[in-house]
Amino acid sequence: MGGNSFGKSLCITTFGESHGLAVGVVIDGCPAGLELSEADIQPELDRRKPGQSHLTSPRQEADCIQIFSGVFEGKTTGTPIMIMARNQDQRPQDYQDFQNCYRPGHADYSYDAKYGFRDWRGSGRSSARETLARVAAGAVAKKFLRQVAGIEVLSFVEQVCDIRSGLDPMRISRQEIDQSLVRCPDQVASAKMVALIEKVKAEGDSLGGVIRGVVTGLPAGLGEPVFDRLHSDLGRAMLSINAVKGFEIGSGFAGACLRGSEHNDEFYLDSAGVVKTRTNHAGGVLGGISTGEPLLFRVAFKPVATIAKEQRTINAAHESVTLKAAGRHDPCVLPRAVPIVDAMAALVVMDHWIRNLSARVR
Amino acid sequence: MGGNSFGKSLCITTFGESHGLAVGVVIDGCPAGLELSEADIQPELDRRKPGQSHLTSPRQEADCIQIFSGVFEGKTTGTPIMIMARNQDQRPQDYQDFQNCYRPGHADYSYDAKYGFRDWRGSGRSSARETLARVAAGAVAKKFLRQVAGIEVLSFVEQVCDIRSGLDPMRISRQEIDQSLVRCPDQVASAKMVALIEKVKAEGDSLGGVIRGVVTGLPAGLGEPVFDRLHSDLGRAMLSINAVKGFEIGSGFAGACLRGSEHNDEFYLDSAGVVKTRTNHAGGVLGGISTGEPLLFRVAFKPVATIAKEQRTINAAHESVTLKAAGRHDPCVLPRAVPIVDAMAALVVMDHWIRNLSARVR
Amino acid sequence: MGGNSFGKSLCITTFGESHGLAVGVVIDGCPAGLELSEADIQPELDRRKPGQSHLTSPRQEADCIQIFSGVFEGKTTGTPIMIMARNQDQRPQDYQDFQNCYRPGHADYSYDAKYGFRDWRGSGRSSARETLARVAAGAVAKKFLRQVAGIEVLSFVEQVCDIRSGLDPMRISRQEIDQSLVRCPDQVASAKMVALIEKVKAEGDSLGGVIRGVVTGLPAGLGEPVFDRLHSDLGRAMLSINAVKGFEIGSGFAGACLRGSEHNDEFYLDSAGVVKTRTNHAGGVLGGISTGEPLLFRVAFKPVATIAKEQRTINAAHESVTLKAAGRHDPCVLPRAVPIVDAMAALVVMDHWIRNLSARVR
Amino acid sequence: MGGNSFGKSLCITTFGESHGLAVGVVIDGCPAGLELSEADIQPELDRRKPGQSHLTSPRQEADCIQIFSGVFEGKTTGTPIMIMARNQDQRPQDYQDFQNCYRPGHADYSYDAKYGFRDWRGSGRSSARETLARVAAGAVAKKFLRQVAGIEVLSFVEQVCDIRSGLDPMRISRQEIDQSLVRCPDQVASAKMVALIEKVKAEGDSLGGVIRGVVTGLPAGLGEPVFDRLHSDLGRAMLSINAVKGFEIGSGFAGACLRGSEHNDEFYLDSAGVVKTRTNHAGGVLGGISTGEPLLFRVAFKPVATIAKEQRTINAAHESVTLKAAGRHDPCVLPRAVPIVDAMAALVVMDHWIRNLSARVR
């Protein structure tokens, strides 16, 4: 059974390889009547595409998407929405060194072990190029959430290696995020991150980091206990992104060090008569169901596996070899991963928004 | 759409409330021919049940399960396996204070917001009593994995509040784990943890912590990119356990601070001709597919929400109230959560083991 | 992957064997707030239970069900509803002749071929006793549909062997159906059917027939093209009932002989301004979506496989043997199958009613 | 929740509208290592495409498909296979009459009722043009079944209106089927069918009929009781094809008139030691599981809804109107539906072949 679909009421299926003909997605379950065009989607892809700055892979891809189905006269029809981008700047020759060689930290070996062989051109299906399809689908979900449900999704780079931003995630705008080359709205931290990435890139090495996500405007009630909790689906979504090794909701690992009396978020009624909590250690979810407080989560990315430094490994014939990667790679994926985190969060929230329509007899 | 099923090829559905008649599970998709009886399952439940020690809730539940279907002449038949335990020591009166009152950090409010009302007896469905059903199903998966696939699942308490064990997770036996009252095989740390839990219990407060999980004997090839990665399904499984706020695979959040050249696990061939890696920052998964190295993961639990200390909150009529919980609660759930982590890990691995049967034409 | 769940937004999972401890169902996805008690369910089971008349199996089973979870203070809570009946009148000894012998027309051989062995007591999981669980779940769906959506489900025996009723399916009440021993509201046909069943029972043989189903009060819009059409899900539901060999919606096989100009149902506006069709060859569905006209369908049942006449067959050792069934069997299942058809129809319609909530942006 | 996916272990998702940019399919779950190219797929599409003969719609579509992903160096990689054909001969103007008008027997009204509006160009998503995608996916399944499992799928036109072929379905070759303009291998019946279709076409009317399907080479053991029976999934697959109103497995509706002693298929051992049945009223399935005998089923198609004769109906403004269809339509869809029936049957059997891999511990 393949694993290329995500979501239950809103279900996306992605397809395509890094150096194949195209990468795309089919979105099934989007309600009819949502205004939608390529102009709603392309800007998100532009945030993800390579070649944005000197800090990202120089591969030249316009990532120019087209809607092939499911939209008529500017509105979704309730039928599957297929969105696809053709691959353009393919240089499979860059990858011939990896053809019979297992890059440390990469999926070369595990794909071979599972499938018997693999499309080695640009890492094939295991390339982060697949996330283009997620960003396209996520743009549809973001539009829906904003327009129909008043929900906003935002994420930004909070940490690159050990450089951390201390900004309050509730006080950040998309504009501030995109003004930073590394999508860190903290200008001081951003400058340090840029410098570190430049340095490490020059060394042929790579960096990891942490992205913070925030979802606001959520009603209380989203999430389906006991397995499809809002944050367990969100965690799965994030952990399905290339290079992600950790996920936290609310207090996360730090919360493990608090006492109950410190961690519990006290309920109160705000002046508008809305139930609120004074703190948000929960990260917006209790019992797997949204409380109406903002969703707050963090996503840890390991450093990029493909590096230009020499490494020892083995090849498909099980001989010891050394490897020094050519190819066009990001020294740090986090700036380009921000729209991917956005997209996956939006898809999860929209799925649960739809599922919640039938929570009770009305 | 309800969220009470978990798994694709192996699918479990749990049911039951804390103070209802019973808690149970239906397991669908377990292959026929596995030897199985209550004796394979009960020991896992005994590790989870309340009243094990002075550190856990004193609720008296034998958690005595019975197999109602799917087993004939001592073997699974390929039909659904229903396993159930009747609730016995119900004291709903202990919970009447919470009936109209939203405990901080608990699911009372979010359930009301979603469903319009809730079964308030012992937290109803949101009680960790539901995990009894998971442990029962997980015991079946553990038996299958051991017997059919040679795979072992093990987990233990690595941290309570800020007390950490530094033991190498690869050198720990189940026996060592269960010899500790808190299921921490590090005797020094264990003693400190016990003392801290006793102290905090006396204060009417509660503690969180971290459980480490280890899965060994895994073949390379388990996991279905791009969404049903082995570790994204594992993360979702863990995040669906009550009180869990974070999940890491391999290097996790700490890995975000490493460089690629430090993080990448070098491949080599061991003396038996098996592909291995010299380190295991990946935690046993590359590209969402197992490498054959042990799965290593960590799960963060927040402190128990229900505490005996006085807290301010609101009630269902939206009035400000103060609350001091009676009822029988664990000051720290981690010792009893170990078999739950085991169970969810086993269910995920067995599901993917089955799914992998059709990875390629043979 | 097991096949014991049915439905997407409303999902049921059944468990249990004919002579095991119990038969039951977990219903996941029923909205909270529906009034529900055993009294809503038991009457449907009483229509299905054995021993109703001299025409049915004399097995003595009260089929007395109990709700184990998901209902609190008389209302559904939105959590899984588990309903179960204990088996009581077990006589596995009646089946020992079949233990190593493949009854013609029965599932003995195919279960052995698939699973390697089988629970031979009373046909185990392949017994129609499993449908008890469906009827229980269907009773919940019927209650929901009536109370929340104004939809009624009705079915009756239209044919036993070659005796046919010609009544207009739109002019029949449940009372008229249940007044007939064979659940055929056409008194003349009913009397003939009873006589034929008595005769064939005396001969040790068995009969098949056809059940007609009618669903009224349906809004236009239910059904999800292109695969989850309302009638393709309905057909699957019916074909999953023991002994069913055929399904028709609307004109069915007879419609294959009409011309387009005869078959097309002309649209008009009734005096209340509602869109109607002058005929209903479509059976209430166009393009897989309900039109608002009644759903009309027919379900063909083969004659019962287990008969008292001597038959030749083989045994598990692949020797030729002759077989003459003891045990307690119905000579014709149709009278008891009526509530099963009702139940499956109700489950399909409720599932699609929920799914349709998100058809469009509102 | 959309309904555009089909299958569990092998899952297809189709997209596209009749006069949109393209129609295509994503296949997820096809094992890696199957040799596959466009040349395996195009011939099946050529059997479905319009303009094959004077009996079919004259729309000029090459239906030239391309594989966009999931195949590398001539073999499937285990990743999603996307196959798509661009629409070419679009004439939406032909459909402007239907833009605001509900054709009797067509999905215009029900789509509007569900989604609030519809893509009216060539019936949009409700057009049988969508089945192009199914045929493409089915060609992959047919290749797999033949090559990996030794299973063959075949179907042919058995009846057009009241003209019936009496040929033994077990003695028919694909060549004989394709030699007939109407895909009826009975030459006498075929000639009559051709003549009748010509006559009815001249009258501006349309015809229905019945397709017979045969699957041979099946092992015993495919099918998952109790809901995912082999024939209930097969029935659902057929009922999801445009214009299908009925489905029978084995004896079907005629079987309802037989006695048990007539209907039961006696088991015996053939000279090769294989378990066989002397008759095949069951149609190859007992208890929802294949017996190893050929699958035999029949599918009833209503006459095409869009006809050139004048009909009364209403428009979107709910006014009475008369309608006479222009556009390019088939007077009888059956000849072109044969590859669609083939495709859906192959997809169901392959899905169950994969699912059966885990039926028991081996």
Side-chain angles (χ1 to χ4, degrees):
Chain A
M1 194 197 321
N4 297 283
S5 294
F6 184 84
K8 294 196 173 171
S9 282
L10 179 78
C11 180
I12 69 164
T13 305
T14 72
F15 59 87
E17 283 86 28
S18 178
H19 286 60
L21 292 178
V23 171
V25 65
V26 183
I27 307 170
D28 198 16
C30 182
L34 179 72
E35 286 175 24
L36 190 73
S37 74
E38 279 88 353
D40 294 305
I41 301 167
Q42 195 63 51
E44 291 297 321
L45 288 161
D46 293 344
R47 302 174 83 209
R48 196 213 72 94
K49 74 179 176 189
Q52 293 177 45
S53 79
H54 68 288
L55 301 179
T56 64
S57 158
R59 180 170 171 173
Q60 290 301 318
E61 290 285 355
D63 287 357
C64 185
I65 55 92
Q66 189 172 13
I67 300 175
F68 279 77
S69 67
V71 174
F72 180 61
E73 296 182 340
K75 287 186 298 184
T76 58
T77 59
T79 65
I81 302 166
M82 198 282 261
I83 306 171
M84 189 170 88
R86 292 233 168 214
N87 292 325
Q88 295 178 311
D89 184 15
Q90 294 139 299
R91 288 200 218 154
Q93 65 278 14
D94 282 2
Y95 296 85
Q96 274 170 344
D97 287 353
F98 313 154
Q99 180 173 356
N100 293 310
C101 176
Y102 299 139
R103 279 171 293 169
H106 219 293
D108 304 328
Y109 169 66
S110 53
Y111 266 68
D112 263 16
K114 183 176 190 73
Y115 299 115
F117 82 123
R118 72 185 192 281
D119 179 349
W120 50 264
R121 302 165 303 164
S123 307
R125 181 73 179 154
S126 76
S127 166
R129 189 152 178 73
E130 178 269 335
T131 60
L132 181 164
R134 305 183 184 205
V135 172
V140 178
K142 282 175 94 166
K143 179 91 191 270
F144 179 90
L145 290 176
R146 178 175 303 134
Q147 195 144 315
V148 178
I151 297 171
E152 290 287 338
V153 175
L154 205 71
S155 62
F156 60 90
V157 174
E158 195 169 74
Q159 182 181 329
V160 167
C161 198
D162 55 359
I163 304 169
R164 291 178 175 80
S165 156
L167 290 191
D168 177 355
M170 298 307 303
R171 295 177 172 280
I172 285 167
S173 70
R174 170 145 168 182
Q175 199 188 350
E176 291 168 299
I177 296 166
D178 282 351
Q179 274 168 356
S180 158
L181 268 190
V182 289
R183 293 208 165 80
C184 171
D186 176 335
Q187 294 181 19
V188 178
S190 173
K192 289 185 192 167
M193 291 171 183
V194 170
L196 182 62
I197 295 173
E198 286 168 344
K199 174 173 175 291
V200 165
K201 184 186 175 187
E203 295 167 7
D205 215 333
S206 65
L207 293 165
V210 175
I211 288 179
R212 163 77 75 166
V214 186
V215 185
T216 53
L218 222 63
L222 306 195
E224 303 291 327
V226 295
F227 294 109
D228 299 354
R229 294 173 195 242
L230 186 56
H231 63 287
S232 52
D233 279 5
L234 191 64
R236 178 179 168 239
M238 297 304 149
L239 289 157
S240 78
I241 299 172
N242 305 47
V244 171
K245 305 300 282 184
F247 173 80
E248 294 182 324
I249 182 84
S251 63
F253 280 87
C257 296
L258 297 180
R259 308 227 167 157
S261 56
E262 296 166 320
H263 194 281
N264 285 342
D265 303 310
E266 188 181 303
F267 287 105
Y268 74 100
L269 220 64
D270 77 1
S271 56
V274 177
V275 176
K276 296 270 186 189
T277 59
R278 292 201 193 277
T279 48
N280 189 10
H281 294 114
V285 188
L286 287 173
I289 301 173
S290 65
T291 61
E293 295 292 325
L295 285 185
L296 288 170
F297 60 93
R298 297 174 79 241
V299 187
F301 289 75
K302 69 172 185 179
V304 175
T306 309
I307 56 176
K309 285 199 159 176
E310 191 169 277
Q311 301 175 89
R312 285 184 304 177
T313 186
I314 61 170
N315 62 18
H318 287 189
E319 300 157 333
S320 293
V321 293
T322 59
L323 176 78
K324 207 171 149 176
R328 297 159 295 176
H329 301 281
D330 293 275
C332 177
V333 295
L334 279 90
R336 291 177 58 203
V338 163
I340 308 170
V341 167
D342 274 13
M344 293 308 295
L347 289 164
V348 168
V349 174
M350 180 173 168
D351 188 21
H352 278 284
W353 193 91
I354 293 175
R355 291 177 70 172
N356 194 46
L357 290 175
S358 59
R360 51 167 136 162
V361 173
R362 281 168 212 270
Chain B
M1 196 197 320
N4 297 283
S5 294
F6 184 85
K8 293 195 173 171
S9 282
L10 180 78
C11 180
I12 69 164
T13 305
T14 72
F15 59 86
E17 283 87 28
S18 178
H19 285 59
L21 292 178
V23 171
V25 65
V26 183
I27 306 169
D28 198 15
C30 182
L34 179 71
E35 287 176 22
L36 190 73
S37 74
E38 278 88 352
D40 294 305
I41 302 167
Q42 194 64 49
E44 290 298 320
L45 288 162
D46 293 345
R47 299 174 85 208
R48 197 213 71 96
K49 74 179 175 189
Q52 293 177 44
S53 81
H54 69 287
L55 301 179
T56 63
S57 158
R59 180 171 172 173
Q60 289 303 316
E61 289 286 354
D63 286 357
C64 184
I65 55 89
Q66 190 173 12
I67 300 174
F68 279 76
S69 67
V71 174
F72 180 61
E73 297 182 339
K75 288 188 296 186
T76 58
T77 59
T79 64
I81 303 166
M82 198 284 262
I83 307 172
M84 188 171 88
R86 292 230 168 216
N87 293 324
Q88 295 179 311
D89 184 16
Q90 295 139 299
R91 287 200 218 154
Q93 64 278 14
D94 282 1
Y95 296 85
Q96 274 170 344
D97 286 352
F98 313 154
Q99 180 174 355
N100 294 309
C101 176
Y102 299 140
R103 279 172 292 170
H106 218 293
D108 303 329
Y109 169 66
S110 55
Y111 266 67
D112 262 17
K114 184 175 191 72
Y115 299 115
F117 81 122
R118 72 184 192 283
D119 179 349
W120 49 265
R121 301 165 304 163
S123 307
R125 182 74 178 154
S126 76
S127 165
R129 188 152 179 74
E130 179 269 335
T131 59
L132 181 164
R134 306 183 184 205
V135 172
V140 178
K142 283 175 94 165
K143 178 91 191 270
F144 178 91
L145 290 176
R146 178 175 303 134
Q147 195 144 313
V148 177
I151 297 170
E152 290 287 338
V153 175
L154 205 69
S155 64
F156 60 91
V157 173
E158 194 168 75
Q159 183 182 329
V160 167
C161 198
D162 55 359
I163 305 169
R164 290 178 175 79
S165 156
L167 290 191
D168 177 355
M170 297 307 302
R171 295 177 173 278
I172 285 167
S173 69
R174 169 145 169 183
Q175 197 187 351
E176 290 168 300
I177 296 166
D178 282 351
Q179 274 167 354
S180 157
L181 267 191
V182 289
R183 293 208 165 79
C184 172
D186 176 335
Q187 294 182 20
V188 178
S190 173
K192 288 185 193 165
M193 290 171 183
V194 170
L196 182 62
I197 295 174
E198 287 169 343
K199 174 173 175 291
V200 165
K201 184 186 176 186
E203 296 167 7
D205 214 334
S206 66
L207 293 165
V210 175
I211 288 178
R212 162 77 75 164
V214 186
V215 185
T216 53
L218 224 61
L222 307 195
E224 303 291 327
V226 293
F227 295 109
D228 299 354
R229 293 173 196 243
L230 186 56
H231 64 287
S232 51
D233 278 6
L234 192 63
R236 177 180 169 238
M238 297 305 150
L239 289 156
S240 78
I241 299 173
N242 305 48
V244 171
K245 305 300 282 184
F247 172 81
E248 294 182 325
I249 183 84
S251 62
F253 280 86
C257 296
L258 298 178
R259 308 228 167 157
S261 57
E262 297 166 318
H263 193 281
N264 285 343
D265 303 310
E266 188 181 303
F267 287 105
Y268 74 101
L269 220 63
D270 77 2
S271 55
V274 178
V275 176
K276 296 270 185 190
T277 60
R278 294 202 191 273
T279 48
N280 190 10
H281 294 115
V285 188
L286 288 173
I289 300 173
S290 64
T291 60
E293 294 292 325
L295 286 185
L296 288 170
F297 60 93
R298 296 175 79 242
V299 187
F301 290 75
K302 70 173 185 177
V304 176
T306 309
I307 56 176
K309 284 198 161 177
E310 191 168 279
Q311 299 174 89
R312 284 185 305 176
T313 186
I314 61 170
N315 63 18
H318 287 189
E319 300 158 331
S320 293
V321 293
T322 59
L323 176 77
K324 207 171 151 175
R328 297 161 295 177
H329 302 281
D330 292 275
C332 176
V333 294
L334 279 92
R336 291 177 57 203
V338 163
I340 308 170
V341 167
D342 274 12
M344 293 309 296
L347 289 165
V348 168
V349 174
M350 179 173 168
D351 187 21
H352 277 284
W353 193 92
I354 293 175
R355 291 176 71 173
N356 194 46
L357 291 175
S358 59
R360 49 167 136 161
V361 172
R362 283 167 210 272
Chain C
M1 194 198 319
N4 297 284
S5 293
F6 184 85
K8 294 195 172 169
S9 283
L10 179 77
C11 181
I12 68 165
T13 305
T14 72
F15 59 87
E17 284 87 28
S18 179
H19 286 61
L21 292 177
V23 171
V25 64
V26 183
I27 306 169
D28 198 14
C30 182
L34 179 71
E35 288 176 21
L36 189 73
S37 74
E38 279 88 352
D40 293 305
I41 301 167
Q42 195 63 51
E44 290 298 320
L45 288 162
D46 293 345
R47 299 175 85 208
R48 197 213 70 95
K49 74 179 175 189
Q52 293 178 44
S53 79
H54 68 288
L55 301 180
T56 64
S57 158
R59 180 170 172 174
Q60 290 301 318
E61 289 286 354
D63 286 357
C64 186
I65 55 90
Q66 190 172 12
I67 300 174
F68 279 77
S69 67
V71 174
F72 180 61
E73 297 182 339
K75 287 188 296 184
T76 57
T77 59
T79 65
I81 303 167
M82 199 283 262
I83 307 172
M84 188 171 87
R86 292 232 168 215
N87 293 326
Q88 295 179 309
D89 183 16
Q90 295 139 297
R91 287 200 218 154
Q93 65 279 14
D94 283 0
Y95 296 85
Q96 274 170 343
D97 287 351
F98 313 153
Q99 180 173 357
N100 293 310
C101 176
Y102 299 140
R103 280 171 291 170
H106 219 294
D108 303 328
Y109 169 65
S110 54
Y111 266 68
D112 262 17
K114 184 176 191 73
Y115 299 115
F117 80 123
R118 73 185 192 282
D119 179 349
W120 49 265
R121 301 165 304 163
S123 307
R125 181 72 178 154
S126 76
S127 166
R129 189 154 178 74
E130 179 269 335
T131 59
L132 182 164
R134 305 183 184 204
V135 172
V140 178
K142 283 175 92 166
K143 178 92 190 269
F144 179 90
L145 290 176
R146 178 175 302 135
Q147 196 145 310
V148 178
I151 296 171
E152 290 288 338
V153 175
L154 205 69
S155 62
F156 60 90
V157 174
E158 196 170 72
Q159 183 181 329
V160 167
C161 197
D162 54 359
I163 304 170
R164 289 176 175 83
S165 155
L167 290 190
D168 177 354
M170 298 308 302
R171 294 177 173 279
I172 285 166
S173 70
R174 169 144 169 184
Q175 197 187 351
E176 290 168 300
I177 295 166
D178 283 352
Q179 274 167 354
S180 157
L181 268 191
V182 289
R183 291 206 168 83
C184 172
D186 176 334
Q187 294 182 19
V188 177
S190 173
K192 287 184 193 168
M193 290 171 182
V194 170
L196 182 62
I197 295 173
E198 287 169 344
K199 175 171 174 289
V200 165
K201 184 186 177 188
E203 294 168 7
D205 214 333
S206 66
L207 293 165
V210 175
I211 288 178
R212 162 77 75 164
V214 186
V215 185
T216 54
L218 224 63
L222 306 194
E224 302 292 327
V226 294
F227 295 111
D228 299 354
R229 294 173 195 241
L230 186 55
H231 63 287
S232 52
D233 278 6
L234 191 62
R236 178 179 168 239
M238 297 304 149
L239 288 157
S240 78
I241 300 173
N242 305 48
V244 171
K245 304 300 282 185
F247 172 82
E248 295 182 324
I249 183 83
S251 62
F253 280 86
C257 296
L258 298 179
R259 307 225 167 159
S261 57
E262 297 165 319
H263 194 280
N264 284 343
D265 303 309
E266 187 181 304
F267 287 105
Y268 74 100
L269 221 64
D270 77 1
S271 55
V274 178
V275 176
K276 296 271 186 188
T277 59
R278 292 201 192 275
T279 48
N280 189 10
H281 294 114
V285 188
L286 287 173
I289 301 173
S290 64
T291 60
E293 295 292 323
L295 286 185
L296 288 171
F297 60 94
R298 296 174 79 242
V299 187
F301 290 75
K302 69 172 185 178
V304 175
T306 309
I307 55 175
K309 285 198 162 176
E310 192 169 278
Q311 299 175 89
R312 285 185 303 176
T313 187
I314 61 170
N315 63 18
H318 286 190
E319 300 157 332
S320 294
V321 292
T322 59
L323 177 77
K324 208 171 148 176
R328 296 161 295 178
H329 301 283
D330 293 275
C332 177
V333 295
L334 279 92
R336 291 177 57 202
V338 162
I340 307 169
V341 168
D342 274 14
M344 294 308 297
L347 289 163
V348 168
V349 174
M350 181 172 167
D351 188 21
H352 278 284
W353 193 92
I354 293 174
R355 292 176 70 173
N356 194 47
L357 290 175
S358 59
R360 49 167 137 162
V361 173
R362 283 168 211 272
Chain D
M1 194 199 318
N4 297 284
S5 294
F6 184 84
K8 294 196 172 170
S9 282
L10 178 78
C11 180
I12 68 165
T13 304
T14 72
F15 59 86
E17 284 87 28
S18 179
H19 286 61
L21 292 177
V23 171
V25 64
V26 183
I27 306 170
D28 197 15
C30 182
L34 179 71
E35 286 176 23
L36 189 73
S37 75
E38 279 88 353
D40 294 305
I41 301 168
Q42 194 64 50
E44 291 296 321
L45 288 161
D46 294 344
R47 300 175 83 209
R48 196 214 71 94
K49 74 179 175 190
Q52 294 178 43
S53 79
H54 69 287
L55 301 179
T56 63
S57 159
R59 179 168 173 174
Q60 289 303 318
E61 289 285 355
D63 286 357
C64 185
I65 55 90
Q66 191 172 12
I67 299 175
F68 280 77
S69 67
V71 174
F72 179 61
E73 296 182 341
K75 287 187 296 183
T76 58
T77 58
T79 65
I81 303 166
M82 198 282 261
I83 307 171
M84 188 170 87
R86 292 232 169 216
N87 293 325
Q88 296 178 309
D89 183 16
Q90 294 140 298
R91 288 200 217 153
Q93 64 278 14
D94 282 0
Y95 296 84
Q96 273 169 345
D97 287 351
F98 314 153
Q99 180 173 358
N100 293 309
C101 176
Y102 299 140
R103 280 170 293 169
H106 219 295
D108 304 328
Y109 169 66
S110 54
Y111 266 69
D112 263 17
K114 183 175 191 75
Y115 299 116
F117 80 122
R118 73 185 191 283
D119 179 349
W120 50 264
R121 302 165 303 164
S123 306
R125 182 71 179 155
S126 75
S127 166
R129 190 155 177 74
E130 179 268 335
T131 59
L132 181 164
R134 305 183 184 205
V135 172
V140 179
K142 283 175 93 166
K143 178 92 191 270
F144 179 91
L145 290 177
R146 178 175 303 134
Q147 196 144 311
V148 177
I151 297 171
E152 290 288 337
V153 175
L154 204 71
S155 63
F156 61 91
V157 174
E158 194 169 74
Q159 182 181 330
V160 166
C161 197
D162 55 359
I163 304 170
R164 290 177 174 82
S165 156
L167 290 191
D168 177 355
M170 297 308 302
R171 296 177 171 280
I172 285 167
S173 71
R174 169 145 168 184
Q175 197 186 352
E176 290 168 299
I177 296 166
D178 282 351
Q179 274 167 355
S180 158
L181 268 191
V182 288
R183 293 207 167 79
C184 171
D186 176 335
Q187 295 181 18
V188 177
S190 173
K192 287 184 192 167
M193 290 170 182
V194 170
L196 182 63
I197 295 173
E198 287 169 345
K199 175 173 174 288
V200 165
K201 185 187 176 188
E203 295 168 6
D205 214 335
S206 66
L207 292 165
V210 175
I211 288 179
R212 163 77 74 166
V214 186
V215 185
T216 53
L218 223 63
L222 307 194
E224 302 292 327
V226 293
F227 294 111
D228 299 354
R229 293 173 196 243
L230 186 56
H231 64 287
S232 52
D233 279 6
L234 191 63
R236 177 179 169 240
M238 297 303 149
L239 289 157
S240 79
I241 299 173
N242 304 46
V244 171
K245 304 301 281 184
F247 173 80
E248 294 182 324
I249 183 83
S251 62
F253 281 86
C257 296
L258 297 179
R259 307 226 167 158
S261 57
E262 297 166 318
H263 194 281
N264 284 344
D265 302 311
E266 188 181 304
F267 287 105
Y268 74 100
L269 221 62
D270 77 2
S271 55
V274 178
V275 176
K276 296 271 185 186
T277 59
R278 293 202 191 274
T279 49
N280 190 9
H281 294 114
V285 188
L286 287 173
I289 300 172
S290 65
T291 61
E293 295 292 325
L295 285 185
L296 288 171
F297 60 93
R298 297 174 80 242
V299 187
F301 289 76
K302 69 171 185 179
V304 176
T306 309
I307 55 176
K309 284 199 161 176
E310 192 169 279
Q311 301 175 89
R312 286 185 303 176
T313 186
I314 60 171
N315 63 18
H318 286 190
E319 299 156 334
S320 294
V321 292
T322 59
L323 177 78
K324 209 170 148 176
R328 296 160 296 178
H329 301 282
D330 293 275
C332 177
V333 294
L334 279 92
R336 291 177 57 202
V338 162
I340 308 169
V341 167
D342 274 13
M344 294 307 298
L347 290 164
V348 168
V349 173
M350 180 172 167
D351 187 22
H352 278 285
W353 192 91
I354 293 174
R355 291 176 71 173
N356 194 47
L357 290 175
S358 59
R360 50 168 136 161
V361 173
R362 283 168 211 270

